[in-house]
Amino acid sequence: MQANPVVSMVRRGRGRTALLLVGTLLCAIVALSPGRVTAVKPAPQFLRDVAPILDKQGCSVAGCHGKFGGRAGFQLSLLTLTPEDDYDPIVRGGRGRRINLVEPEKSLFLLKGAGLVPHGGGARFDRKSPEYRIIRDWIAAGAPYDPEKDVRLERLTVLPSQFVLPKVGATQQLKVFARFSDGTVQNVTDYANYESVDTAVAAVDANGRVKATRWGGGAVVVRYLGTVEAAFLTSPRVDKTPYPPVRGNNYIDELVLANLKRMNVVPSRLTTDYEFLRRVYLDVCGRLPEPGEVAAFVADKAPDKRAKMIDRLLDSPEYVDMRTLRLGDLLRIHPRNFGYNIQGDRSSALFTDWIRDAVRDNLPYDQFVRGLILAKGSTLRNGPANFYLIDRTPEDRMETVAQAFLGQRMSCARCHKHPFDRWTTDDYWNFAAFLGRVGLRGGQSRLNGDLAQENDVFYNPGGQVVNNSVTGKRRGKVAPPTYLGAKDPVSLAVEKRPDGQPGPNLLEQFANWCVSEKNPYFARATVNRLWGNYLGRGVVHPVDDMRGTTPPSVPGLLEAMARDFTEHRYDIKHMIRTILNSRTYQTASDVNATNKLDDKFFSHFYPRPMLGQVFLDVMNQATGTTERFGEFPVEYKAKRLELPVGSYFLDTFGRSHREFLAELEPKVEPTLVQILHILNSPYIDDKVKHGGGTVHALVSDKAVTDERLIEGLYRKTFCRPPMPKETVAARKILKAAKNREEAAQDLMWALLSAREFYFVI
């Protein structure tokens, strides 16, 4: 940006000499890297001194001048996230009335902020405030801004970065320090913005004072000059009852239990064998254990029987079906993404078969992801090449890679910087630049024996991506390919070795970085997503939004699991096995007096609904019915389908439509439509009354007493025998009924509509 000539003239007239007084901040900033600490600020600069006022006083919020298009003809960057963009609208905008270099006090920018003239936003500060003085002195100095020489924020430090609030009502004052490019460090506590991540646990005021409102853990996000940092807090339960000893099974439990003890929260009991077996069968195989399997497992007295059962289930074909279903949802494999015709069906089936083979062979996950990114060739002959048909632009493809495999939601940064994330528009477009090298051609009938409507994915060495941000300074310029978090772009010279032979192309470098141990995102994002699949929520949640300001629910757990994952060569089965063998996974969903408010620390299991396909398979299994899906063989289960089929039940109960990455799981709370479908649907009624189904088979057997009938229905649905009070209640229904089979059907219907049946508990 070129300096305003009027401003430059005023600068020269006034001179630029200023006295910088250097002082020392005491122990509060010991954690900061070495730098000069200023006791008295030098002459005001726009970025360092004026821009923070715009954010702190609310001038740049969406309801005011941060609104897209501005307000009253005056637009600032949203939440001052890109303060460099705000100089021109202030100094050069408003037909020169906003800044009066001759009489600074008559500047509209100052008069409106102080409420001295009518202002829709009201007075933001008064004439005696430091804000008024800073803005006035800045204007008096010629409203200077030199993009090349003015100091810029290099680092923001919040102290303490981690702290404990010992009881409800306890407070902690945060201190915020900014390190600038000239080496100075300033206390900017009064000019930072604060927001509590979980207001149920802690509140924070405009001055950075945090107050505990109940036990738990959370974070306070601190924003200053477009940079965000977080301070993480813990507030333990106050309880004088001695903490009981609790033993874990592996390193996962050590970290989870240590965190619970720190918060004085006692985990729930372990699951019974019945509870454990039903849960692990549903999670790993997508079906219920049969009564005989349950009886054998409960009768087994071996101390390691749970570990052996986990191993057996992970080696089953049904595990392959479930894992393939999960990956198909993650990658959004659907014929409409490939043409929604016979070619779309072929591409979907081919892609799904490739995934199924990879899961069956337990292909290391880094190789799986690398195979997707480097896929090329015909989309009708090479399954993973269809990855590049789901999204057709480099930026959309980048968003998928970042969200699915790195746990980073980049979509906001396409246009502007997210207020609670680090990624800028430059980060977005520079990262997308790698995928500009993916070429796609074809899509129509061709000669030479090629398949009709065949697409060909290839490496395009000349592919470029142009920065298309809304207001970024590099808008319209070619984006240099840059890894997330890196300062410098990738050198394109690497594509050619000194001997003239071709080196790794840009896409190969991108794929290698994505799955590298040096990449801080890949392993953590993978284990966090796996954890979420089996525990109901991620250690960082949502699982695909792992921004640095979101506190992990268990400190150190993601790092430990990621290290284990990489040390075992990205073995997915090993990671799942470790999770399932933990006491944390095997903890009951029942709550106790200490953990009934816990919804994130894994002191008890969080019940969750089944995936739609699993629920339909389980419904058929429990009722003893079969169902044919489209043209697939009758033995095909819903979770096994390579192609979508029309099913009102599946649409109602939460199968992913594979449109959006952030919507892969069914909603936790049942909907009214789901409830009505179970209670009133002829579809369910037919299954319950089926002549070859569970109820008819039990009632038709004259040797089956009422007690055995009741037990049979409970074992087919809840995978456990009924409790005595349940048996008593059910017997009354059967005894009072005129038609025993109709009464048994009613009992089955009641069990199918129960929360214990629909949820993984």
Side-chain angles (χ1 to χ4, degrees):
M1 180 185 297
Q2 298 297 321
N4 189 319
V6 178
V7 173
S8 299
M9 182 173 64
V10 173
R11 284 180 182 166
R12 290 194 294 270
R14 290 181 173 272
R16 304 185 65 180
T17 304
L19 180 63
L20 178 65
L21 299 178
V22 180
T24 303
L25 291 176
L26 299 177
C27 58
I29 57 169
V30 169
L32 291 171
S33 57
R36 301 196 305 278
V37 181
T38 59
V40 178
K41 291 184 178 179
Q45 291 186 6
F46 178 72
L47 289 182
R48 183 188 60 200
D49 304 302
V50 177
I53 297 174
L54 305 176
D55 190 12
K56 185 69 174 181
Q57 299 305 321
C59 306
S60 58
V61 298
C64 196
H65 298 293
K67 174 185 176 184
F68 185 75
R71 188 174 290 277
F74 180 31
Q75 180 179 357
L76 297 170
S77 63
L78 180 64
L79 302 178
T80 318
L81 294 173
T82 53
E84 301 88 350
D85 298 339
D86 296 334
Y87 178 80
D88 275 359
I90 294 171
V91 175
R92 297 190 175 98
R95 291 175 293 183
R97 296 186 300 133
R98 291 192 184 121
I99 299 297
N100 189 327
L101 298 175
V102 179
E103 297 180 89
E105 287 81 2
K106 293 185 178 180
S107 299
L108 200 60
F109 183 56
L110 191 59
L111 292 172
K112 285 203 169 187
L116 300 176
V117 297
H119 180 216
R124 313 311 297 176
F125 45 80
D126 60 46
R127 297 185 66 173
K128 296 181 180 180
S129 67
E131 291 84 357
Y132 183 93
R133 174 183 54 79
I134 290 171
I135 294 175
R136 182 201 60 205
D137 291 350
W138 173 67
I139 298 173
Y145 173 50
D146 187 332
E148 303 299 327
K149 295 182 180 179
D150 280 17
V151 298
R152 294 174 180 268
L153 179 66
E154 285 191 339
R155 181 182 176 190
L156 194 67
T157 301
V158 182
L159 296 176
S161 59
Q162 297 184 17
F163 58 95
V164 175
L165 296 173
K167 61 181 180 179
V168 173
T171 62
Q172 173 67 53
Q173 176 62 54
L174 298 179
K175 294 292 183 181
V176 185
F177 299 94
R179 178 183 176 86
F180 293 96
S181 55
D182 63 350
T184 60
V185 177
Q186 292 185 1
N187 185 331
V188 296
T189 304
D190 293 339
Y191 293 97
N193 285 269
Y194 307 90
E195 183 168 338
S196 174
V197 170
D198 190 344
T199 54
V201 174
V204 62
D205 64 20
N207 300 313
R209 181 168 289 278
V210 187
K211 182 178 181 179
T213 51
R214 78 161 173 84
W215 72 264
V220 173
V221 177
V222 181
R223 189 182 72 251
Y224 178 78
L225 277 182
T227 298
V228 290
E229 290 292 341
F232 300 103
L233 64 99
T234 300
S235 184
R237 285 182 61 260
V238 177
D239 189 344
K240 296 182 180 179
T241 304
Y243 196 87
V246 184
R247 293 184 60 183
N249 296 339
N250 54 26
Y251 70 87
I252 287 176
D253 297 327
E254 291 178 8
L255 292 163
V256 171
L257 293 174
N259 188 54
L260 292 175
K261 187 173 183 179
R262 188 162 44 245
M263 291 188 297
N264 202 20
V265 173
V266 180
S268 295
R269 62 173 175 82
L270 275 174
T271 51
T272 65
D273 282 349
Y274 295 109
E275 292 167 332
F276 166 77
L277 199 64
R278 186 178 195 271
R279 181 187 300 175
V280 77
Y281 260 83
L282 286 172
D283 277 346
V284 178
C285 296
R287 73 170 176 90
L288 298 172
E290 292 293 344
E293 293 173 316
V294 175
F297 181 77
V298 172
D300 188 353
K301 302 303 179 183
D304 60 346
K305 67 179 183 180
R306 294 192 178 192
K308 289 180 177 178
M309 177 59 69
I310 290 169
D311 288 343
R312 185 168 72 82
L313 297 183
L314 286 175
D315 286 336
S316 70
E318 293 161 310
Y319 159 76
V320 176
D321 293 340
M322 280 295 291
R323 179 68 183 151
T324 301
L325 173 63
R326 286 283 190 182
L327 288 171
D329 285 349
L330 178 64
L331 296 173
R332 295 172 296 144
I333 299 175
H334 195 287
R336 68 168 170 268
N337 294 322
F338 311 123
Y340 231 153
N341 48 29
I342 187 63
Q343 284 77 22
D345 287 349
R346 181 185 173 101
S347 290
S348 293
L350 198 63
F351 199 175
T352 302
D353 285 345
W354 180 81
I355 292 174
R356 188 179 304 280
D357 290 343
V359 173
R360 186 191 61 243
D361 298 339
N362 198 29
L363 183 70
Y365 198 59
D366 61 330
Q367 295 181 35
F368 177 84
V369 173
R370 195 172 183 277
L372 287 172
I373 296 174
L374 296 180
K376 59 183 179 180
S378 167
T379 56
L380 296 182
R381 308 183 196 197
N382 184 27
N386 289 282
F387 178 68
Y388 287 116
L389 289 184
I390 297 173
D391 298 302
R392 300 299 182 104
T393 66
E395 57 269 29
D396 288 340
R397 291 165 175 168
M398 178 276 290
E399 287 185 21
T400 293
V401 170
Q403 192 170 340
F405 305 129
L406 307 181
Q408 304 294 312
R409 292 187 183 180
M410 300 294 294
S411 56
C412 286
R414 179 187 293 225
C415 301
H416 60 82
K417 189 178 186 297
H418 192 286
F420 296 148
D421 208 349
R422 62 182 294 193
W423 308 124
T424 65
T425 55
D426 284 352
D427 293 326
Y428 178 98
W429 292 101
N430 294 350
F431 195 49
F434 290 101
L435 292 162
R437 291 296 206 271
V438 177
L440 184 65
R441 60 193 166 208
Q444 58 186 353
S445 300
R446 290 183 289 155
L447 302 177
N448 302 321
D450 288 344
L451 296 170
Q453 301 296 321
E454 184 178 40
N455 287 279
D456 183 48
V457 177
F458 65 98
Y459 181 72
N460 178 15
Q464 293 181 327
V465 171
V466 174
N467 187 315
N468 283 317
S469 59
V470 174
T471 58
K473 292 299 181 184
R474 292 191 56 82
R475 175 176 171 80
K477 298 180 180 179
V478 174
T482 310
Y483 300 134
L484 280 181
K487 292 183 178 180
D488 301 316
V490 171
S491 173
L492 301 183
V494 179
E495 291 189 290
K496 288 189 177 181
R497 295 175 178 152
D499 59 4
Q501 296 298 313
N505 65 45
L506 199 61
L507 195 60
E508 289 173 334
Q509 296 176 59
F510 174 75
N512 292 340
W513 177 85
C514 281
V515 301
S516 168
E517 291 185 31
K518 296 180 180 179
N519 176 348
Y521 314 110
F522 176 65
R524 293 178 78 251
T526 304
V527 297
N528 192 48
R529 189 178 289 277
L530 287 174
W531 181 271
N533 286 345
Y534 295 102
L535 273 299
R537 61 171 290 126
V539 180
V540 173
H541 198 77
V543 295
D544 54 3
D545 192 11
M546 299 177 66
R547 64 188 68 174
T549 54
T550 302
S553 54
V554 182
L557 179 55
L558 276 186
E559 290 72 19
M561 288 197 297
R563 185 167 53 251
D564 185 18
F565 188 44
T566 55
E567 289 175 352
H568 284 82
R569 300 181 181 275
Y570 303 97
D571 185 333
I572 290 289
K573 270 192 182 182
H574 166 78
M575 206 65 246
I576 295 174
R577 182 180 293 109
T578 303
I579 292 171
L580 299 182
N581 274 296
S582 69
R583 184 200 191 279
T584 304
Y585 174 79
Q586 297 178 24
T587 300
S589 58
D590 298 347
V591 296
N592 56 45
T594 73
N595 69 0
K596 59 185 178 181
L597 294 179
D598 171 26
D599 60 358
K600 69 179 85 171
F601 303 112
F602 309 104
S603 63
H604 60 92
F605 189 81
Y606 307 131
R608 50 185 160 77
M610 305 176 205
L611 296 175
Q613 295 93 324
V614 172
F615 189 39
L616 180 51
D617 286 344
V618 165
M619 181 72 71
N620 287 329
Q621 182 184 359
T623 57
T625 57
T626 58
E627 190 164 344
R628 182 166 184 172
F629 301 102
E631 299 300 318
F632 289 96
V634 69
E635 64 270 13
Y636 258 53
K637 305 299 183 185
K639 62 176 175 287
R640 173 73 169 78
L641 300 174
E642 289 92 351
L643 299 173
V645 296
S647 171
Y648 181 77
F649 185 96
L650 290 177
D651 291 338
T652 300
F653 285 95
R655 67 169 164 183
S656 171
H657 292 289
R658 300 184 173 181
E659 293 183 16
F660 306 106
L661 265 174
E663 297 179 359
L664 300 181
E665 301 290 339
K667 304 302 181 185
V668 173
E669 294 301 325
T671 66
L672 179 60
V673 175
Q674 291 173 343
I675 294 171
L676 292 175
H677 192 65
I678 292 293
L679 295 179
N680 300 317
S681 165
Y683 179 80
I684 303 298
D685 189 33
D686 290 344
K687 292 182 179 298
V688 173
K689 295 179 178 179
H690 194 277
T694 299
V695 174
H696 184 76
L698 287 170
V699 173
S700 300
D701 188 344
K702 302 302 182 182
V704 174
T705 63
D706 285 354
E707 287 77 7
R708 286 182 60 192
L709 171 62
I710 295 166
E711 181 176 346
L713 294 179
Y714 268 84
R715 288 187 180 275
K716 286 292 288 186
T717 53
F718 295 170
C719 305
R720 63 170 175 83
M723 292 182 288
K725 63 179 181 180
E726 293 170 331
T727 300
V728 171
R731 284 186 63 189
K732 288 181 179 179
I733 295 173
L734 293 175
K735 292 294 185 185
K738 294 181 180 180
N739 186 308
R740 187 169 184 257
E741 184 164 358
E742 288 183 359
Q745 291 169 359
D746 290 343
L747 178 57
M748 171 61 98
W749 208 328
L751 296 177
L752 295 178
S753 62
R755 183 172 182 269
E756 186 175 347
F757 180 72
Y758 175 41
F759 278 71
V760 181
I761 295 179

